[in-house]
Amino acid sequence: MKRSLWLRLAPYLFTIGFFALWEAACRAFSISSFVLPPPSAIWTALVQYQKPLYTNAFHTLWMTTAGFGLSILFGLAVGLLVGSSRLLQAGLNPLLVGFNAIPKVAVVPILVLWFGVGWLPPVLTAFVISFFPIVVNVATGLATIEPETEDVLKALGASRLDIITKVGIPRSLPYFFGALKVSITLAYVGSVIGEQNASNLGIGNLITRASADFNVPLVFAALIVLAVLGIVLVAVVDFVEDRMTGWAKRSQMAGG
């Protein structure tokens, strides 16, 4: 019972400790707020600029969830196709790797050229940057079904579709949710990049304007808001994962 309580309190205690050390370091070494604002200055900025932070955070959250939703939809579909066919895996793998290797910052000007300035470039940037991990992990989950399992199922009369739907997809779920946690953070990166270059709203645009005004506490306040939004979405994924893949987890995986 005591261990369970400490595990519940650990995230809060570690977070408080981190910000306390940050504040103490800024005061002990007399670090200028222009270089690294202490948490107290960031909190002041959060309160002072709460309205623009709220408005732009809502816009970024919408951009991110829209792009992330597209990446789930297309990533899951492509991952299932790639993982279920060696031919498709061999043919599409170079294209997927090459596409993922392209810096997404270089894609934003093309999106602006095609769709103009607005909400669509940030959404599409979030999509293209978070799409690849989902494809790779879902395909890996399908492609790593043990040959012995396939042989037994085929001997029992199971078709290829039966093996994929009844064994492959459930087996891929832990890989899928692991990819979602990575893709969420990447989706935020994509939406912020898109907002910095092709939008008049959003946290990315706010950071650009605050940097131009040398308002460093506001920049850090915006980054804190992004971190909180990321934590919220990861918590949602964790909740869904616990309900869908609890069978794949071990209660005593690690000590400490």
Side-chain angles (χ1 to χ4, degrees):
M1 189 70 179
K2 185 177 180 181
R3 178 180 173 81
S4 176
L5 178 61
W6 278 113
L7 287 175
R8 292 182 180 180
L9 292 177
Y12 305 100
L13 296 176
F14 276 68
T15 301
I16 293 172
F18 170 75
F19 283 108
L21 287 174
W22 181 352
E23 182 79 25
C26 289
R27 293 180 181 275
F29 296 101
S30 300
I31 301 175
S32 171
S33 292
F34 183 78
V35 177
L36 179 65
S40 56
I42 297 172
W43 175 256
T44 301
L46 284 169
V47 174
Q48 182 179 356
Y49 300 101
Q50 56 182 304
K51 186 174 181 179
L53 283 169
Y54 173 81
T55 303
N56 288 284
F58 182 80
H59 183 273
T60 298
L61 180 62
W62 188 86
M63 299 291 101
T64 303
T65 51
F68 182 56
L70 288 175
S71 71
I72 293 175
L73 180 64
F74 288 97
L76 188 58
V78 175
L80 290 173
L81 287 174
V82 172
S84 61
S85 170
R86 291 183 179 179
L87 178 62
L88 286 176
Q89 185 174 19
L92 292 177
N93 189 60
L95 294 175
L96 291 172
V97 172
F99 177 76
N100 189 60
I102 298 174
K104 301 308 178 286
V105 177
V107 176
V108 176
I110 299 175
L111 296 177
V112 174
L113 183 65
W114 288 349
F115 304 107
V117 175
W119 62 270
L120 198 52
V123 170
L124 293 178
T125 307
F127 162 66
V128 298
I129 203 172
S130 60
F131 168 77
F132 187 73
I134 298 176
V135 174
V136 170
N137 280 270
V138 172
T140 300
L142 282 178
T144 54
I145 300 174
E146 293 84 355
E148 296 82 2
T149 303
E150 288 194 60
D151 292 339
V152 171
L153 291 172
K154 287 178 181 177
L156 294 173
S159 65
R160 180 63 178 166
L161 181 61
D162 290 331
I163 296 174
I164 291 174
T165 55
K166 296 180 180 179
V167 178
I169 292 178
R171 179 188 176 86
S172 300
L173 285 178
Y175 294 87
F176 173 64
F177 281 104
L180 292 187
K181 295 174 188 178
V182 175
S183 294
I184 285 174
T185 57
L186 293 177
Y188 273 113
V189 172
S191 61
V192 169
I193 290 174
E195 289 168 348
Q196 287 180 319
N197 293 275
S199 178
N200 296 320
L201 285 172
I203 292 294
N205 179 264
L206 180 63
I207 290 174
T208 300
R209 289 188 283 114
S211 299
D213 293 337
F214 300 100
N215 192 341
V216 182
L218 179 56
V219 172
F220 275 83
L223 294 177
I224 294 295
V225 169
L226 278 177
V228 172
L229 292 177
I231 291 170
V232 169
L233 282 188
V234 170
V236 172
V237 172
D238 279 332
F239 177 81
V240 178
E241 181 184 17
D242 288 338
R243 298 300 182 275
M244 296 186 66
T245 63
W247 50 267
K249 296 186 177 182
R250 299 292 182 266
S251 59
Q252 298 295 333
M253 183 172 292

